[in-house]
Amino acid sequence: MDTTSLFTAALQLPDPWRVSGVEFRDEEDGRRELHIAIGFAAGSRFPCPEPGCGEAACPVHDARERVWRHLNFFQYKAFIHAGVPRVTCPAHGVHAVPVPWARPGSGFTLLFEAMVVELAKSQPVADIAEQVGEHDTRLWRFIRHYVDEARLYEDYTGVEAIGIDETSRKGHRYITVVADLVERNVICVVPGKDSTTIKRFARDFMDHNGDPDRVRLVTCDMSLGFAKGIRERLPNAARIIDKFHVIRHANEAVDKVRKQEARGNALLKRTKYLWSRNESNLTGLQLETKRSPQRRRLKTGRACQMRETLQDIYDTSADRAEAETALKRLCSWMTRSRLEPMKEFARQIRRHWRDILAYFDHPYTNAILEGLNSVIQNVKTRARGFKNMGYFSTMIYLTCGKLDLSTVTT
């Protein structure tokens, strides 16, 4: 088998395409590149590229030279050269024929693009660009293309339980991430964290056959913007305040008490995590220190007991009625405690009373989103930030969206 036949077989070229030449070229920077020429026999005919046209043997009108970057051949950059034929169809006139190794308009082969998209799941695009010797903007262009194309095939017909959470992109700029709590994947990413984000989600949801009226529950934090958007766009959904967000607010209230008391008590210096961690996560010495009578008598010790009581309500309540009774007693205790941060936390619970208690009817949490958010933060960290919201959204869908990329990269 000669070289051209070998490369024709390796590239899996269908008739009438054939490799017509292979050569190494020396570049000005001293590197060598492999250039593969592809052509077709004189007199070849091609099907009309217009969808639905049955004309299978259109004559070639002319050909225009194109070049595509291909996968490296060992350590050498490889390029494919071909004259792309334009055919004459009796019904549709002159049109360019799509080539089997690249998508229309791309300067890269399908195999090269598929390789980069796969690498982008675990590496920053800037690093990949350096490895393959291309500008990252060119890579981003087709990565976004494939992610957007794959999302077109996403079908959210049966989605009824979703989680909503926001994460920062840079500084105080936020994005809202929506996840399917059953399939455990990201289904929508929109900028902002107010009621309009829910409107944009609902529109995208319907574009993928989702029905906002069929969404029966939503887990989220205490954001009033989210609450307003859910009422307006997801009218039949029960809103569930995520229990981890409630406990986080309790921890923040305890720490405010600690900071106030620490001004006059050296025992509380550098003890923030002693009071906010669950006792099961403390070492023996830390647990003994926390439980000492001297510390238990502190205001911070009392505030911590309130936080632990809240956690016990979540962990041990058999039903909503039992939880409601216990939560009323806790709020009464915090209100009479003369600890202003705990009193404010009690008022916060009362403002969201129904949605906090909804957890005990539907024990869903944002734990899935917290896990996804750790992946998202890792993606952001390794990329050292993103130039724009579009790049960040693309990477979230690529790493957390469970997209079926085989439908668009093969």
Side-chain angles (χ1 to χ4, degrees):
M1 182 180 288
D2 62 20
T3 302
T4 56
S5 298
L6 179 63
F7 274 88
T8 298
L11 292 171
Q12 298 183 342
L13 297 177
D15 287 333
W17 298 102
R18 293 286 185 275
V19 172
S20 58
V22 178
E23 66 171 323
F24 279 101
R25 297 180 187 175
D26 293 320
E27 298 302 307
E28 293 180 358
D29 58 6
R31 292 181 298 177
R32 303 195 78 193
E33 295 178 347
L34 177 67
H35 291 260
I36 305 167
I38 295 178
F40 51 89
S44 297
R45 290 175 174 260
F46 297 87
C48 175
E50 282 295 302
C53 182
E55 189 64 45
C58 299
V60 174
H61 176 76
D62 59 14
R64 297 184 176 181
E65 290 297 320
R66 291 283 310 278
V67 181
W68 298 264
R69 172 74 188 278
H70 189 46
L71 295 175
N72 283 7
F73 181 76
F74 291 98
Q75 73 269 34
Y76 304 108
K77 281 187 176 183
F79 297 87
I80 288 178
H81 299 252
V84 178
R86 295 197 304 164
V87 296
T88 303
C89 173
H92 300 102
V94 177
H95 288 281
V97 172
V99 296
W101 57 83
R103 62 186 176 85
S106 176
F108 302 95
T109 64
L110 292 170
L111 287 174
F112 184 92
E113 291 180 337
M115 178 198 71
V116 170
V117 170
E118 189 62 31
L119 289 175
K121 294 178 182 179
S122 58
Q123 297 182 43
V125 175
D127 290 356
I128 299 171
E130 185 175 353
Q131 292 170 28
V132 300
E134 296 288 345
H135 196 283
D136 65 339
T137 301
R138 297 191 70 200
L139 305 189
W140 273 116
R141 191 173 295 126
F142 67 73
I143 292 171
R144 292 188 66 179
H145 165 80
Y146 283 118
V147 169
D148 291 344
E149 285 290 305
R151 286 205 72 229
L152 293 178
Y153 291 89
E154 292 293 286
D155 189 340
Y156 305 144
T157 301
V159 175
E160 296 183 352
I162 62 173
I164 301 175
D165 199 10
E166 82 276 353
T167 186
S168 62
R169 179 172 74 83
K170 189 176 182 181
H172 294 289
R173 288 178 288 181
Y174 290 87
I175 62 170
T176 294
V177 178
V178 184
D180 179 348
L181 296 180
V182 176
E183 294 297 326
R184 308 170 75 89
N185 64 296
V186 171
I187 61 175
C188 189
V189 180
V190 291
K193 60 171 187 173
D194 54 19
S195 62
T196 62
T197 63
I198 309 300
K199 177 182 178 181
R200 288 192 286 271
F201 156 70
R203 187 182 303 121
D204 182 83
F205 191 55
M206 289 187 288
D207 288 342
H208 293 88
N209 299 322
D211 183 356
D213 292 338
R214 288 191 59 186
V215 176
R216 60 185 179 86
L217 58 91
V218 180
T219 61
C220 62
D221 60 18
M222 296 184 185
S223 164
L224 296 177
F226 285 166
K228 181 175 184 289
I230 291 167
R231 285 195 305 271
E232 293 175 348
R233 304 295 169 178
L234 307 171
N236 299 320
R239 178 170 172 255
I240 303 168
I241 299 296
D242 175 52
K243 75 170 186 178
F244 297 111
H245 280 87
V246 179
I247 293 172
R248 185 184 302 165
H249 284 291
N251 284 331
E252 291 170 356
V254 172
D255 194 52
K256 288 178 182 177
V257 174
R258 182 194 65 83
K259 286 179 178 178
Q260 292 173 2
E261 194 173 16
R263 297 185 187 123
N265 194 322
L267 283 172
L268 292 167
K269 299 293 185 182
R270 296 184 293 276
T271 63
K272 175 179 179 179
Y273 295 107
L274 192 67
W275 305 105
S276 60
R277 286 179 179 171
N278 293 332
E279 291 192 349
S280 59
N281 296 327
L282 298 177
T283 65
L285 179 60
Q286 289 173 328
L287 190 58
E288 183 180 348
T289 302
K290 178 180 177 181
R291 287 179 174 177
S292 67
Q294 187 179 15
R295 289 181 186 271
R296 278 294 187 183
R297 286 194 293 269
L298 296 172
K299 294 178 181 179
T300 305
R302 286 195 291 124
C304 184
Q305 291 174 43
M306 296 172 192
R307 200 276 297 177
E308 291 169 349
T309 300
L310 173 66
Q311 183 129 13
D312 288 342
I313 292 171
Y314 275 113
D315 292 343
T316 64
S317 295
D319 53 34
R320 180 190 178 110
E322 182 179 327
E324 186 168 12
T325 299
L327 202 56
K328 284 179 180 177
R329 286 199 299 266
L330 174 60
C331 285
S332 178
W333 181 17
M334 290 190 291
T335 301
R336 292 183 284 104
S337 68
R338 291 181 293 183
L339 302 175
E340 189 54 42
M342 304 313 295
K343 290 166 67 176
E344 174 54 35
F345 178 55
R347 290 191 288 270
Q348 191 176 32
I349 289 177
R350 290 192 173 105
R351 286 196 297 270
H352 299 277
W353 187 259
R354 184 182 66 180
D355 297 330
I356 289 175
L357 287 173
Y359 167 80
F360 299 95
D361 292 326
H362 311 282
Y364 283 83
T365 71
N366 267 10
I368 293 167
L369 269 165
E370 293 298 324
L372 292 172
N373 191 47
S374 67
V375 176
I376 292 169
Q377 294 305 317
N378 181 51
V379 167
K380 184 174 70 172
T381 300
R382 75 188 186 207
R384 298 179 294 278
F386 289 90
K387 295 178 182 178
N388 58 50
M389 169 66 187
Y391 289 174
F392 195 15
S393 298
T394 295
M395 289 308 301
I396 293 173
Y397 285 127
L398 184 62
T399 56
C400 302
K402 294 185 179 179
L403 300 177
D404 185 6
L405 290 166
S406 64
T407 59
V408 293
T409 58
T410 57

